[in-house]
Amino acid sequence: MEKIQYIGETLLPGQIGQMGVLLAFVGALLSMVAYWFATQRRESIDYESWRNIGRYAFLTHGLGVFAVIGALLYAMINQLYEYQYVQAHVSEELPMKFIFSALWEGQEGSFLLWMFWHVLLGFVLLFNGKSWETSTLTVIAAIQAVLATMILGIYIGFGDEPAKFGSNPMLLLRQTIDAPIFAQADYLKLIKGNGLNPALQNYWMTIHPPTLFLGFASTAIPFAFAIAGLWTKRHVEWLKPALPWALFCGSILGIGILMGSAWAYEALNFGGYWAWDPVENTSLVPWLLIVAGVHTNLISKATGHSVRSSYIFYLLGFLLVVYSTFLTRSGVLGETSVHAFTEMGLENQLILFISAFTLTGLGLMIWRWREIPHPKSEEHTTSKEFWMFIGTLILLFSAVLITGSTSLPVYNKIMQVFNPAFQGKVITEPVAHFNKYQLWIAVFIGYFSGFAQFLRFRENNWSKNAMRFAIHLGAGLGIAAVLTYLSSLLINLYTWQYTLLTFSAYFTIVSNLDYLITHLRGKLKIAGSAFSHIGFGLMIVGIMASGVNRKIISSNAFLMDGLIAGGDEEMSKKNITLFRNVPTMMQDYLVTYKKDTLEHFTRTYTVNYQRKNKKGKVVEDFDLYPTILYDKSFTKIATSNPDTRHYVLKDVFTHISALPEVEQNFELKKQREEELKYKVLNLEQGRTQLLHDTLDVENQDTVFRRTFQISLESMSRNPVHHEYKPEPGDLAFSTKLKIRRSDDDSVYYANPVILLRGQLIYTYPDQVDDLSAKFKISQDAIEKVFALENQLKYENLNLRQGDAGQWQDLKIRFTGFNKAPEHPDYSRKEGDLAVGAKLDITAPDGKTYHAEPIFLIREQQPLNVKVEVPELGLHVRFPLLDPGKETIQLMLAKTTAPSSIPVEVATDALPSNYIVLEALEFPGINVFWFGSLLMMFGLGFSIWNRMSTRRNGESLA
């Protein structure tokens, strides 16, 4: 069979990418082996040669990773749909600003992002690792080698089902799908890109994943130092270089988690910033363990205790990142998480990934356990290290609880292997479940991080410090109690547990401020821990204010009873139905749904809020713009994005919770439109016509007769309609209809639009929802309003510049030329010679109109562009110019206004002029954000302090 020569394929990016994948894998493997030999022979003459091989191999590995990313980005930017990954994640409509988001939307792209950060962090170790370079980069290279297998995309084995290793992002579409379309050499003309999920077309998707993956990648560095310490028996030395990396990891990973919270709060519709989603949980757990590791690291540095604990925490931090990868990418989470990737057959590789590094870390810990320094004397209960260690155990307990509950889908899968009938266990209320236990974690951390600041490492003279400790402790408890009471006047502390939690938060804030002022005496350079602890306390206060005291303001029980279609009583309590341009009271606000606009897949709603004082005066007026995003078929809503009004002390959060069925599904809207029973009326301007309509009463043998009075008020050749976007060359008009109904005293107006664009006719109906009636102009009206060119009977009129001539009952004056004419139907091209004839046309009633037909020569061919004066029914062409005689020839024709306009009326149109809105008020939300950021700032500040100290004389080794 002759091989097909495909047309239009660009294969070079794929070849570069494939070569990059191979270099990335082989380079990482070679680097791991070379660095391993260098570490094993660090005292021999072979050390430098093996180290150099490891360096060059790691640099080659990095080059391979960069090549794959570069080739894939090139293919995505240029929309090379011959590549499967590009076709799956890019489309012609995708804005360039979301190309990077599309890059890491899929599994392969996110693996590449993870590897990219490992490469950069590895380069830092390569150039600054000193005596730790070979041992730590052995571990990093091993991790990279395993990650590289995830994008290899090769099959190993024999028979019908060989084992697949990885999914290669540079595969051609025809290599992944067996479809008849690939029998055509020019198949590229027939395919389009799927594009980025509309719900992910958000700027947070551009910045959140890179930050979070940098945090994930950075957990590998403390892990590598821990493995290196166990491997080389340098059980104390490794702690010093590992600490800045752990602080960096805690700061960056924490910021990444906070970005995810901000994204959820700003762009998702569940009304909050943390939902205990499984993937949220598995990103939080490594952070908790890294923070615990930082504290045991500090204990080890100060006292020699907790070296084993530091090993355990740093090892677990990275291993649980790998575990979270398994949960996210194996498909085991199913529908329990909005973050999970679709299953791609990588679960076995991910299990091997976890197993290999877990066994390595566990094996080394068991092997070296007795060798790890462990002081024989126990910590005194009055020492700082004792309570810091208890705090780390509490963090570990928190991590175990979260991981255990989040792993229920894994437990269910395992049990179903042994018992297919096993139903599985499910947490139906995750927020309540996790909060019930994590509340106590926060209480203990608040107390411990408060009073432990006034304890001393290696306390051996407690009697001397006891009074000072008691004074600071008593002051802290007293002030915290006062602040808790004052807070209870502003926010509701519904249970004694919440009161206790708020008290612990204030206690750590007050105690750490006290420590900052009285102990550090304003020495901010070493205040990183105090900043973090104060931030933690403020975060808890913010959670109590904004989370526990979150207030639903979209309630008007009297008005909403029975109004929300398909909604239950609970939904009626939390949501309000707004009809377009109908102001509705919503607690302190008068709210109006003003309009909506559709652009691409996004429909944006304008909702006006007005707040009045007791005298009825408007004291605040603002608009919010919640949006909904349709899927690419416009048959369902992909997501609803809220909009928020920010204040210093609160936020007002608004999102669309429901829409009419026909606004959710455009196919259904089209179907409903086709099912409408239209009746045609020939309307004459100024004359009212009657339309008799019957309305059946459900479950009764009764009908109601209603009469519509409809009149044509006016016509316009410059129509306005919320769905109509004018284009050059359009022939469009609208009618203004006045409507009354026999059972309604109100007067309504409708303004349907019709247009001719090229050879196609478009109608834009107008619906009067209060009457359940829809009005559209019949297509027959086009020929009545717009005379076809071949039906016009033109007559000539010659004029000299400045002269006037009479044509029929019109006086036409030629006032001059316009050498830069403009017309909706004329687009200037290079080489055109165009001129407009400026005409003043006076009607019998004395009213003057202006017209400017165009004469042009394009490529040596004379052409002209017609103008119309709709008010006069006049058509004017400018076909001839005589420069010698300074005269022009005009062609004039007249049409009479139609005696009637056919309008179609349907009286069975379901209302679609409403939205269902949920609005929430988050008091104190900024306290939460400020506290969270301050906590991460404290970690980062500590890095800066240690790096500056190092620059002042301390070495990394």
Side-chain angles (χ1 to χ4, degrees):
M1 183 176 178
E2 186 178 349
K3 187 176 180 181
I4 300 174
Q5 297 295 319
Y6 291 102
I7 300 171
E9 288 188 338
T10 305
L11 301 180
L12 182 59
Q15 293 164 351
I16 293 172
Q18 295 282 16
M19 180 60 69
V21 170
L22 190 60
L23 279 177
F25 176 65
V26 174
L29 208 58
L30 178 58
S31 179
M32 177 191 71
V33 172
Y35 273 132
W36 184 85
F37 276 111
T39 304
Q40 289 294 94
R41 302 181 181 186
R42 56 189 178 276
E43 304 296 336
S44 72
I45 60 173
D46 295 335
Y47 168 74
E48 285 198 14
S49 58
W50 281 113
R51 184 194 62 185
N52 289 338
I53 293 172
R55 284 178 173 178
Y56 290 128
F58 195 84
L59 289 170
T60 302
H61 160 74
L63 179 63
V65 172
F66 296 155
V68 181
I69 294 174
L72 192 54
L73 268 177
Y74 176 85
M76 298 178 88
I77 290 170
N78 291 280
Q79 299 171 9
L80 304 182
Y81 297 139
E82 54 266 44
Y83 295 99
Q84 180 271 332
Y85 195 84
V86 176
Q87 192 273 336
H89 301 285
V90 174
S91 65
E92 292 180 2
E93 300 83 17
L94 184 68
M96 181 60 67
K97 62 184 177 181
F98 294 130
I99 286 293
F100 282 101
S101 301
L103 174 66
W104 43 71
E105 181 193 20
Q107 291 223 37
E108 301 92 329
S110 59
F111 275 123
L112 281 170
L113 179 61
W114 195 0
M115 294 174 70
F116 171 81
W117 287 125
H118 275 161
V119 169
L120 293 187
L121 296 174
F123 284 172
V124 175
L125 287 176
L126 192 151
F127 292 107
N128 293 303
K130 298 184 180 180
S131 66
W132 293 100
E133 175 194 343
T134 59
S135 52
T136 55
L137 279 175
T138 302
V139 180
I140 300 300
I143 294 170
Q144 289 292 82
V146 175
L147 287 175
T149 65
M150 304 294 175
I151 59 170
L152 271 180
I154 61 172
Y155 290 87
I156 299 176
F158 304 95
D160 295 332
E161 295 185 4
K164 180 186 177 184
F165 280 82
S167 177
N168 193 315
M170 301 310 303
L171 288 178
L172 294 169
L173 186 62
R174 56 184 169 85
Q175 292 174 325
T176 60
I177 303 174
D178 185 15
I181 190 175
F182 300 117
Q184 298 179 231
D186 61 347
Y187 75 91
L188 281 174
K189 294 180 179 179
L190 305 175
I191 62 172
K192 294 183 178 180
N194 288 330
L196 181 65
N197 184 334
L200 299 179
Q201 293 185 28
N202 184 291
Y203 70 93
W204 284 110
M205 181 62 183
T206 306
I207 60 177
H208 167 56
T211 307
L212 189 66
F213 271 88
L214 176 56
F216 286 158
S218 62
T219 63
I221 309 301
F223 175 82
F225 274 105
I227 293 291
L230 290 167
W231 179 11
T232 61
K233 303 181 185 180
R234 300 165 71 184
H235 299 299
V236 176
E237 295 89 336
W238 74 276
L239 291 165
K240 187 174 183 180
L243 182 57
W245 284 106
L247 289 166
F248 172 79
C249 174
S251 179
I252 294 298
L253 182 55
I255 290 171
I257 294 170
L258 278 178
M259 281 184 172
S261 296
W263 185 2
Y265 177 70
E266 181 180 306
L268 301 182
N269 59 17
F270 68 83
Y273 38 79
W274 193 262
W276 293 108
D277 178 271
V279 177
E280 291 176 344
N281 298 347
T282 53
S283 64
L284 176 64
V285 167
W287 182 80
L288 291 173
L289 293 170
I290 291 295
V291 170
V294 167
H295 285 77
T296 55
N297 199 327
L298 292 170
I299 294 171
S300 302
K301 179 184 175 185
T303 69
H305 287 282
S306 299
V307 176
R308 290 173 176 173
S309 300
S310 299
Y311 272 128
I312 292 170
F313 286 131
Y314 287 154
L315 292 173
L316 285 177
F318 172 73
L319 292 174
L320 282 164
V321 165
V322 180
Y323 179 65
S324 77
T325 303
F326 166 75
L327 288 179
T328 309
R329 300 165 191 274
S330 64
V332 70
L333 291 179
E335 300 297 323
T336 63
S337 173
V338 298
H339 297 83
F341 289 91
T342 55
E343 194 273 320
M344 291 183 62
L346 299 178
E347 60 272 17
N348 291 332
Q349 279 179 263
L350 292 168
I351 291 172
L352 287 173
F353 190 3
I354 299 169
S355 302
F357 287 95
T358 300
L359 291 174
T360 300
L362 182 62
L364 282 170
M365 278 295 294
I366 294 172
W367 186 23
R368 304 294 194 195
W369 184 262
R370 294 181 180 274
E371 301 174 11
I372 300 172
H374 183 65
K376 294 181 180 179
S377 61
E378 295 295 331
E379 302 98 326
H380 291 288
T381 56
T382 56
S383 67
K384 189 169 192 170
E385 61 267 25
F386 176 82
W387 292 105
M388 283 179 67
F389 181 71
I390 295 297
T392 64
L393 291 182
I394 291 172
L395 290 176
L396 177 62
F397 184 59
S398 172
V400 169
L401 287 176
I402 295 171
T403 303
S405 297
T406 305
S407 299
L408 276 179
V410 179
Y411 171 78
N412 293 337
K413 289 280 186 183
I414 294 172
M415 293 301 295
Q416 286 166 1
V417 171
F418 299 100
N419 179 12
F422 183 71
Q423 294 298 314
K425 298 181 179 180
V426 178
I427 298 173
T428 55
E429 296 290 339
V431 173
H433 169 82
F434 285 101
N435 285 351
K436 179 170 63 175
Y437 299 106
Q438 297 304 314
L439 179 147
W440 293 107
I441 301 295
V443 168
F444 286 121
I445 293 299
Y447 288 129
F448 292 168
S449 62
F451 73 76
Q453 289 285 42
F454 297 104
L455 298 174
R456 297 184 296 186
F457 285 115
R458 297 179 179 272
E459 178 60 69
N460 53 19
N461 191 1
W462 171 244
S463 59
K464 182 179 179 180
N465 188 46
M467 181 57 68
R468 174 178 172 273
F469 174 79
I471 292 171
H472 286 285
L473 179 64
L477 292 172
I479 296 173
V482 172
L483 291 174
T484 303
Y485 171 74
L486 293 175
S487 294
S488 70
L489 302 178
L490 299 174
I491 60 176
N492 289 316
L493 303 176
Y494 296 99
T495 65
W496 65 270
Q497 293 95 330
Y498 287 151
T499 303
L500 198 60
L501 177 60
T502 306
F503 177 75
S504 74
Y506 278 123
F507 176 68
T508 195
I509 294 170
V510 172
S511 296
N512 279 276
L513 281 172
D514 181 10
Y515 174 76
L516 188 63
I517 296 168
T518 62
H519 184 78
L520 298 183
R521 302 182 187 278
K523 297 176 183 176
L524 297 180
K525 189 175 181 181
I526 53 175
S529 65
F531 287 146
S532 287
H533 296 155
I534 293 169
F536 174 78
L538 288 171
M539 182 186 75
I540 296 299
V541 172
I543 289 173
M544 295 304 301
S546 63
V548 176
N549 284 265
R550 184 182 70 170
K551 178 183 176 184
I552 297 170
I553 60 175
S554 52
S555 60
N556 188 328
F558 176 75
L559 284 176
M560 291 304 103
D561 187 24
L563 274 183
I564 300 177
D568 54 17
E569 182 180 351
E570 187 66 22
M571 189 174 184
S572 296
K573 291 178 181 178
K574 295 180 179 180
N575 297 268
I576 190 167
T577 301
L578 299 179
F579 291 88
R580 189 185 293 119
N581 295 321
V582 178
T584 304
M585 282 304 302
M586 189 178 78
Q587 294 199 15
D588 296 336
Y589 297 95
L590 185 67
V591 187
T592 308
Y593 159 36
K594 296 173 70 175
K595 64 178 182 178
D596 59 84
T597 55
L598 180 64
E599 185 173 354
H600 300 301
F601 302 106
T602 303
R603 187 181 289 276
T604 302
Y605 295 84
T606 301
V607 181
N608 177 256
Y609 282 72
Q610 287 187 346
R611 187 166 58 85
K612 299 181 179 180
N613 59 18
K614 293 181 179 179
K615 296 181 180 179
K617 182 181 178 182
V618 176
V619 294
E620 187 177 15
D621 188 321
F622 60 90
D623 290 336
L624 290 178
Y625 305 93
T627 64
I628 59 104
L629 277 78
Y630 293 99
D631 68 352
K632 283 178 285 189
S633 65
F634 280 95
T635 56
K636 67 178 182 179
I637 294 173
T639 187
S640 169
N641 289 336
D643 193 21
T644 305
R645 174 77 168 183
H646 299 287
Y647 299 85
V648 174
L649 299 178
K650 68 177 182 180
D651 277 0
V652 175
F653 173 99
T654 298
H655 84 97
I656 307 297
S657 55
L659 292 173
E661 276 190 298
V662 292
E663 296 301 326
Q664 298 179 43
N665 185 335
F666 280 29
E667 286 294 325
L668 178 62
K669 186 175 186 177
K670 181 179 178 182
Q671 178 185 333
R672 292 276 176 86
E673 176 69 24
E674 292 171 351
E675 292 172 353
L676 292 177
K677 299 173 183 177
Y678 281 100
K679 298 176 182 178
V680 180
L681 298 178
N682 286 298
L683 299 179
E684 299 177 14
Q685 193 162 340
R687 180 179 175 184
T688 300
Q689 286 206 32
L690 302 181
L691 174 66
H692 299 292
D693 181 50
T694 57
L695 177 67
D696 295 325
V697 179
E698 190 175 357
N699 299 325
Q700 297 184 29
D701 296 328
T702 307
V703 295
F704 284 118
R705 184 178 296 276
R706 305 175 301 179
T707 301
F708 288 82
Q709 302 175 19
I710 306 171
S711 61
L712 175 62
E713 294 286 292
S714 62
M715 293 171 50
S716 172
R717 294 290 293 273
N718 297 299
V720 176
H721 191 283
H722 68 279
E723 292 183 3
Y724 171 50
K725 296 182 179 180
E727 293 184 8
D730 282 356
L731 296 176
F733 77 96
S734 64
T735 58
K736 182 179 180 181
L737 307 178
K738 181 180 178 181
I739 308 109
R740 291 176 180 269
R741 197 173 68 186
S742 56
D743 60 342
D744 189 338
D745 293 334
S746 302
V747 177
Y748 301 92
Y749 293 91
N751 295 275
V753 173
I754 191 168
L755 72 100
L756 179 66
R757 181 176 290 163
Q759 300 297 316
L760 299 176
I761 297 175
Y762 298 87
T763 59
Y764 296 94
D766 196 9
Q767 182 162 323
V768 180
D769 288 291
D770 290 348
L771 301 177
S772 296
K774 182 174 279 192
F775 302 84
K776 69 177 181 179
I777 302 171
S778 174
Q779 293 189 9
D780 295 338
I782 287 289
E783 291 190 14
K784 286 192 170 189
V785 175
F786 302 112
L788 299 180
E789 190 67 20
N790 58 11
Q791 297 175 346
L792 295 175
K793 296 179 180 179
Y794 283 103
E795 297 178 4
N796 295 334
L797 176 66
N798 295 317
L799 290 174
R800 189 184 298 272
Q801 185 170 342
D803 288 350
Q806 191 74 24
W807 183 79
Q808 295 189 10
D809 57 352
L810 302 174
K811 182 179 180 181
I812 301 172
R813 180 179 297 278
F814 170 35
T815 61
F817 292 104
N818 180 5
K819 295 182 180 180
E822 295 181 357
H823 190 282
D825 294 339
Y826 172 58
S827 298
R828 179 177 293 274
K829 292 186 178 180
E830 188 176 351
D832 279 1
L833 296 175
V835 63
K838 296 190 287 186
L839 306 176
D840 290 341
I841 303 166
T842 304
D845 60 2
K847 191 172 182 179
T848 299
Y849 301 87
H850 302 282
E852 192 176 305
I854 297 174
F855 172 80
L856 72 141
I857 297 176
R858 175 176 292 169
E859 297 178 353
Q860 299 182 349
Q861 294 293 322
L863 302 169
N864 63 84
V865 181
K866 183 179 78 171
V867 295
E868 292 184 51
V869 184
E871 297 85 350
L872 302 176
L874 180 65
H875 301 252
V876 185
R877 288 189 176 277
F878 175 15
L880 191 62
L881 169 65
D882 188 339
K885 296 181 179 180
E886 297 182 350
T887 60
I888 62 171
Q889 184 184 89
L890 301 177
M891 294 173 61
L892 305 164
K894 211 172 185 183
T895 56
T896 56
S899 58
S900 65
I901 298 294
V903 174
E904 299 179 27
V905 184
T907 58
D908 56 348
L910 294 176
S912 61
N913 66 332
Y914 68 88
I915 59 175
V916 179
L917 188 84
E918 182 178 28
L920 306 169
E921 191 173 275
F922 288 91
I925 183 69
N926 290 327
V927 178
F928 167 78
W929 294 122
F930 177 73
S932 302
L933 290 172
L934 183 61
M935 185 164 54
M936 301 310 150
F937 170 78
L939 291 169
F941 194 79
S942 296
I943 303 170
W944 173 81
N945 173 47
R946 294 183 182 281
M947 297 305 292
S948 62
T949 302
R950 178 187 169 195
R951 284 194 298 270
N952 290 333
E954 294 189 7
S955 65
L956 183 63

